[in-house]
Amino acid sequence: EAGVAQSPRYKIIEKRQSVAFWCNPISGHATLYWYQQILGQGPKLLIQFQNNGVVDDSQLPKDRFSAERLKGVDSTLKIQPAKLEDSAVYLCASSLWTDSEAFFGQGTRLTVV
Amino acid sequence: SQKIEQNSEALNIQEGKTATLTCNYTNYSPAYLQWYRQDPGRGPVFLLLIRENEKEKRKERLKVTFDTTLKQSLFHITASQPADSATYLCALDFGNTGKLIFGQGTTLQVKP
């Protein structure tokens, strides 16, 4: 079974630039998550999708972050404009149901300089 | 708001011993609790899930307990091996919605 695919693996941008991350979840998984993990901390949920719809985006900084899930499958997360404090690993995860185990991708390490 | 605390200090143990990691939370109990393992540069990997009506779950050398009175979960690795060295994260779902709130993780180092 193929895992959760994310790209790019690494990204370095200057502050105020924009960046986008892509995620392809495990086939058949209805729930998709984007997490932000700052060094030394646990992952923090940014947004949760159930199929096409947003279930929770309460911790997404909506003035600069946006996310969409295309046809209930792939998803993109965008930051515009980036700030220095956005430097982190962005993890995508998917699960079959809302109360089952989550499968994580390898993440995208973003450095904002 | 809910707070989740894991030991911030690294846990160093000798190979063959049992490692015990702690996850404490405040306020009301979660619908279920999960434990994940994370290696450097990689995403977390699921290990075990325990629901609020369960006291204990086992999988091979792993055991998780869940005490809603103490508001605590313990994660045990018996007969630990150097390959068990990693960061272990607990994650709680308080509303049974799939929204996982993670602790900060505890780093385990098993020495040969």
Side-chain angles (χ1 to χ4, degrees):
Chain A
E1 175 182 85
V4 175
Q6 288 189 249
S7 67
R9 191 82 171 85
Y10 305 93
K11 192 75 177 178
I12 301 174
I13 61 171
E14 294 183 352
K15 59 184 179 185
R16 291 187 289 273
Q17 284 188 324
S18 63
V19 64
F21 312 125
W22 174 81
C23 172
N24 179 235
I26 292 173
S27 177
H29 280 195
T31 308
L32 185 146
Y33 310 84
W34 282 101
Y35 285 88
Q36 179 194 59
Q37 188 172 26
I38 292 171
L39 190 64
Q41 298 182 19
K44 179 182 112 175
L45 181 69
L46 294 175
I47 189 166
Q48 176 186 351
F49 291 95
Q50 183 72 16
N51 296 311
N52 285 5
V54 175
V55 174
D56 190 305
D57 63 357
S58 57
Q59 298 193 91
L60 187 75
K62 297 180 188 65
D63 58 335
R64 298 185 301 108
F65 285 63
S66 65
E68 60 177 359
R69 189 172 184 193
L70 307 169
K71 297 180 181 177
V73 182
D74 291 6
S75 179
T76 55
L77 176 70
K78 295 179 183 176
I79 307 175
Q80 183 179 17
K83 293 185 174 181
L84 295 176
E85 59 260 35
D86 297 332
S87 295
V89 175
Y90 290 85
L91 294 161
C92 178
S94 69
S95 65
L96 200 54
W97 310 110
T98 54
D99 66 345
S100 57
E101 63 185 280
F103 293 82
F104 283 81
Q106 290 211 70
T108 296
R109 181 175 296 278
L110 174 67
T111 303
V112 183
V113 297
Chain B
S1 63
Q2 292 290 95
K3 253 189 153 182
I4 300 165
E5 282 190 10
Q6 296 186 251
N7 285 356
S8 56
E9 288 184 18
L11 180 63
N12 295 297
I13 64 167
Q14 209 65 35
E15 182 176 7
K17 301 290 186 186
T18 296
T20 299
L21 287 73
T22 305
C23 177
N24 295 303
Y25 60 90
T26 59
N27 300 336
Y28 53 94
S29 286
Y32 60 88
L33 187 154
Q34 300 184 18
W35 283 88
Y36 287 80
R37 168 186 173 139
Q38 188 172 27
D39 291 285
R42 307 188 73 91
V45 174
F46 172 80
L47 296 174
L48 281 167
L49 181 153
I50 187 165
R51 300 188 185 277
E52 62 177 329
N53 60 348
E54 297 174 316
K55 297 283 188 196
E56 183 179 297
K57 266 276 183 74
R58 290 176 186 261
K59 180 182 174 184
E60 297 170 354
R61 295 184 296 113
L62 309 180
K63 184 177 89 171
V64 173
T65 62
F66 192 3
D67 189 326
T68 55
T69 303
L70 293 178
K71 299 185 192 288
Q72 181 181 79
S73 174
L74 298 179
F75 177 78
H76 307 272
I77 306 175
T78 57
S80 61
Q81 304 164 1
D84 295 325
S85 298
T87 295
Y88 291 85
L89 298 155
C90 67
L92 283 65
D93 182 343
F94 291 95
N96 204 22
T97 60
K99 178 180 178 178
L100 291 176
I101 301 175
F102 281 82
Q104 77 271 36
T106 298
T107 298
L108 172 68
Q109 188 74 32
V110 181
K111 297 182 179 177

